[in-house]
Each structure stands twice: as C-alpha cells, then as structure tokens.
Amino acid sequence: MSKPVVAVVGRPNVGKSTLFNALAGERISIVKDTPGVTRDRIYADVEWLNYTFTLVDTGGIEPDSKDIILSQMREQAEIAIATADVIIFMTDVRQGLVDSDAKVADMLRRSKKPVVLVVNKVDSFEKYGTDVYEFYNLGIGDPMPVSAVSKLGIGDMLEEVVKYFPKSAKEEEEDTRPKVAIIGKPNVGKSSIINRLVGENRVIVSDIAGTTRDAIDTAIKYNGKEYVFIDTAGLRRKNKIKEEIERYSIIRAVTAVEKSDVVIIVIDATEGVTEQDAKIAGIAHERGKGIIIAVNKWDAIEKDDKTIYKHTSKIREVLSFMSYAEIMFISAKTGQRLPKLFDLIDTVIENNSMRVATGVLNEIVSEAVAMQQPPTDKGKRLKIFYTTQVAVKPPTFVIFVNDKKLMHFSYTRYLENRIRDTFGFRGTALKFIVRERKEDA
C-alpha cells in the first residue's frame, strides 16, 4: 500500500520548513529568515504513532512583488491539490490574516481535498490564543494553533491530519491494475510516450519544457490487461528561476513514485544521462520501486555497432547506485520498441513482489560465505547465522550476524550479487537489514 502524501502550503516565512524539519526529525530543509530559502530536500518519510506518510514542503518562493507572491502561491497550491492526499495550510498568527491567505483558501476549498488549517508561531496560548479566532474567516475548518519552533500543538495537528488517511487498504485493493509512473526532466518525451501508447493525444505535448499542467492518470489496455500510467511532466515554464521548475518537477515525481508499482525514468538520448536524471532516479531508488530506464529519442541518434554499448555504459556510470535497473532504448516518435515496455513492466512488477523460500536463501548465502570468507576485525570474524526474507515491494531480507559492525557494506553488496545471480530480481532494488544475535542464541 502506498504511503499517503501530505503537502504543506503557505506564504513565504510562515514556518513551513520549520514544521517540515520538526516532523522529519532532522534539519532537512535549510531554514533562514529570508523568504524562499528552502533549497534542500523537500520531501521526507514521517512516522507518527502507527502511521507513515510522505511529507512534501512546497516552499521556495522568492517574491519580488505581491503579484508574484500570489501567482507562486497559486502554483504551489495547485501542485498540492494535484498530488497530495491531505493538505496542511499554514498561516502566521503574528502577521495575521492577509489577502493571499484568503485567495489560496478559496482554491483549496474548491479542490474538495482535505485541508488542515494551521496557525503557526503560537508560542504562548495566553498571548496569541484569541488572535487564532481571526482565521475562522477563511472558512476552511477550525484553525489549529501550533508552534513549529517549540513543537507545541504538533500532536493535535497530526491527529487531525491522519483522520483523512484511508482507514484500511480497501480503497487501494479495489484497483489492482499495475501503476506505472513516468518521471524525468521536462521535455524528454514523457507525454509523447503515453500518447503513443494510448494512440491519441491525451496529454498536451509541446516543445516548451514543462507544458503538462497536471499529473494525469491514463489507463492503457495492452493484450487484454489494463495499466495505469501516471505522467509527471513539469509545470509550464514561467519567468522563474530554474530551481523552482526543478522543485515542482521533484514534488510531482515524489508523489507519483509513491503511488506507483513501477517507475519508468525517461532519459533524452540526444542529451545523454545527466546529474539531474540521477537526482530524479534517486527518488524511485530510495522508495524501493521497480525501475526501468527508457532512453527516448533513439531514432535521432546516429548509430554504429558500439552506440548502445556506449550509452549503456554511461548510464550505468552515472546511475551506479541502481545497477539492477532495466534499460530500454525507445522512440516515442516512431513507436520503436514501445510495445516491449509492457512485457518489461510485468517482469519488473513480478520481481519486485518475488518471495524466496528461507531454506533456499540460506543455501545460497552459505555457498557465498564458503566462496568468500566474511571480513574480520582485530581477530574477530563476521559470522552469518541465518537469512530470511521479511517483505516484498521491495524484496527485503534480514541477515542475523554475531556483530553488526563487522558487516561491511562491500560484503552486503557481495551477498546481494550472489542472490541476484540465482534469482534474478531484474529491475528491482533489494533491501538488507542486519541484526545482531548472540552466538549461543
């Protein structure tokens, strides 16, 4: 079941990043008093009581005038509306209720998405308590007083937020169709791929980077089976600095990846793989999704017998953290190899959900240990007692050892490679958890 997505929306300097860091438990965003300085990671997985959700900070506005504040607030709210399950709308008790708050509240109300109205910087309920009542005028529910800095009222706020989460997996179980997120930089051909697969111009395609306004889910039938494709193309370009466009693309990518089974990372063959591609790919890798790298515009490349080898080698080098990902060279323009995508999607979903019997797994690990002795430190050697698979999506293994400190990353990687040699697991990350056990246990 995918984690619910909670987006934090609000004017500059109301404390969105401070709240984000308080919930994420570490200083992930950079917080300064200058409006719009959120430059770092903008999403995090948050655990509270028995709930886990993805929190998205939609900050990062650098207003030059009131008009720009409003247009950027609107853009921000639109992203939150399109991608979030619950929206935290943040205001500031010290600045009071302002016109742009009311305008965003109108949009949020019309969206019919659950909104939790939060009034921040209420460090003293005695001092600011009565000022909170002013925010009832927004007409989107009871304002909840909090102080992100002092972490006051955060528990009450989260209690309100989680009320809107699905009560069980029922809603998701009803739709068993494979969900495929298509992510990548603006203008690499994400929408063109979907249009080609669907056979009609479902998504607006233009040469201007980021012309797709909303994340669009498109159902496509192939060989009698239905797939849901989630297009995450960036927002249309405005006179805004490049990082803002990137930020919005990343918010989209995070939320789409969260809801998907398989992620197709689209790379432009004419540009080659870039660091931004690596950043986007990292989102899918961290979340343990099935991954296919689709190199689009392959028809535009002059080829010889070494072309595929060179491109593959460069992709493996830049995306070295996900050597398991499947690579396919396609052309949305000519339709080259596109039908084969469906077979690959099925294979990757199957591998992402594969379970290995404990007995067979331990045989493989024992053989691997016999072939390459575990590391030692100060005369003490790592002993591996037992390995078992505890989860799927991604396949997750627990290795019981005598001393966790002796389990070097390189040895974990060695065991992973042996497991992959035997069972394949093409297109999916594997997760390993190392636990300590006493030798006589």
Side-chain angles (χ1 to χ4, degrees), residues 89-102:
F89 178 31
M90 204 165 194
T91 56
D92 181 341
V93 75
R94 296 182 196 182
Q95 290 175 18
L97 187 59
V98 301
D99 186 44
S100 54
D101 287 333

Side-chain angles (χ1 to χ4, degrees), residues 55-104:
L55 184 70
V56 177
D57 175 13
T58 61
I61 307 162
E62 290 178 349
D64 300 313
S65 71
K66 283 188 176 172
D67 290 343
I68 289 180
I69 289 185
L70 276 180
S71 69
Q72 290 300 318
M73 278 291 292
R74 206 169 293 124
E75 200 97 309
Q76 228 190 65
E78 281 172 4
I79 291 163
I81 288 165
T83 57
D85 297 298
V86 185
I87 296 159
I88 294 174
F89 178 31
M90 204 165 194
T91 56
D92 181 341
V93 75
R94 296 182 196 182
Q95 290 175 18
L97 187 59
V98 301
D99 186 44
S100 54
D101 287 333
K103 286 198 165 68
V104 176

Side-chain angles (χ1 to χ4, degrees), residues 42 72 137 160 212 221 235 331 404 416 424:
I42 52 168
Q72 290 300 318
N137 291 319
E160 195 58 32
T212 309
K221 215 167 195 175
L235 290 167
S331 166
K404 272 169 78 169
E416 176 180 340

Side-chain angles (χ1 to χ4, degrees), residues 43 214-215 271:
Y43 64 90
D214 301 304
E271 271 185 42

